[in-house]
Amino acid sequence: MITIQAESNVPTDYGVYKIIAFSESDRNWMPHIVLIAKGTDFSKTVNVRIHSECITGEVFHSQKCECGQQLDAAMEFMQKNGGVIVYLRQEGRNIGLINKLKAYALQEKGLDTVSANLELGLPADDRDFGIAIDILKILGIKSVNLMTNNPEKIKIIEKSSEIEFNKRIPLIVESNKNSKEYLDTKKKIFGHLLGREKN
């Protein structure tokens, strides 16, 4: 079972967040992380973003995806409206950075993100969003407005017996010439809700 290992208030470009590290052991150097905006009231419906690690997009500003821009937008939104970001250490849809770069190399040869993973003998998406449910339960969150375009994240909340899904908050980032195929694949293969309508 994951538990809280450490927490501290951290000033960011968007304001102060309480950052909490969750893992099974305090010796884990790659814990899951929660960012809580100041003033967030857990007794009410909480704005929540479940976000998977993407070092290429968030640290190196890769244009192949919209992950970095999504994280920035979520941090800004939560500071203004209150809320929580659950940051899962599941790089590359949980195939890891090395395999992700191998998949990138195959994409340069014409494969889409899903085909590249399958060519490597890996799942199209191996993430476990159930970890986020465990974290939300530990925090005592009972009802959420989920900031997502991914229907699988909505399903995992709806299946939870202890957390109510109230509504979806779209998180749309415009594509560029390098990310268009990536976003098209998300919509076509995974059914991501990339329109601007609210569900």
Side-chain angles (χ1 to χ4, degrees):
M1 285 290 296
I2 59 172
T3 59
I4 294 174
Q5 302 296 340
E7 61 183 82
S8 179
N9 293 319
V10 177
T12 75
D13 289 345
Y14 302 102
V16 177
Y17 275 95
K18 176 183 282 188
I19 296 185
I20 306 176
F22 285 82
S23 72
E24 296 177 357
S25 166
D26 62 2
R27 294 182 295 276
N28 182 357
W29 288 16
M30 297 284 284
H32 300 296
I33 299 167
V34 168
L35 293 85
I36 304 174
K38 188 175 181 180
T40 302
D41 186 350
F42 286 5
S43 70
K44 299 179 180 179
T45 297
V46 179
N47 299 316
V48 171
R49 165 71 180 164
I50 300 172
H51 188 94
S52 298
E53 178 181 44
C54 176
I55 190 172
T56 50
E58 297 155 5
V59 177
F60 302 119
H61 308 286
S62 166
Q63 293 187 5
K64 289 178 68 67
C65 66
E66 85 282 42
C67 303
Q69 294 161 291
Q70 284 189 326
L71 181 58
D72 289 344
M75 290 184 70
E76 183 175 10
F77 179 92
M78 299 307 179
Q79 278 294 324
K80 291 179 179 177
N81 301 282
V84 171
I85 299 171
V86 180
Y87 188 89
L88 301 178
R89 309 307 288 272
Q90 299 184 148
E91 177 72 47
R93 297 179 183 153
N94 209 26
I95 65 171
L97 182 58
I98 291 173
N99 284 324
K100 180 179 179 180
L101 294 176
K102 289 179 180 178
Y104 273 8
L106 290 174
Q107 290 166 38
E108 291 173 12
K109 297 178 180 179
L111 276 66
D112 62 33
T113 54
V114 170
S115 298
N117 280 21
L118 297 178
E119 180 71 16
L120 292 169
L122 301 168
D125 189 340
D126 199 34
R127 287 175 293 178
D128 177 9
F129 298 127
I131 298 170
I133 298 297
D134 293 339
I135 289 172
L136 294 176
K137 288 180 180 178
I138 291 170
L139 292 174
I141 293 174
K142 302 294 186 182
S143 177
V144 303
N145 297 324
L146 192 63
M147 177 176 277
T148 189
N149 305 322
N150 187 343
E152 289 304 314
K153 294 178 183 178
I154 296 172
K155 289 177 185 177
I156 200 70
I157 295 289
E158 290 178 332
K159 288 179 181 178
S160 169
S161 60
E162 297 178 43
I163 301 173
E164 176 189 3
F165 172 75
N166 185 53
K167 69 176 183 179
R168 179 176 82 94
I169 303 171
L171 184 53
I172 307 299
V173 174
E174 298 295 339
S175 64
N176 59 56
K177 65 179 182 180
N178 295 305
S179 67
K180 185 179 185 306
E181 184 175 347
Y182 165 81
L183 292 173
D184 287 346
T185 300
K186 273 188 168 184
K187 186 174 183 179
K188 180 180 178 181
I189 303 298
F190 297 112
H192 281 214
L193 308 167
L194 299 181
R196 295 196 173 275
E197 75 286 350
K198 291 191 176 182
N199 290 349

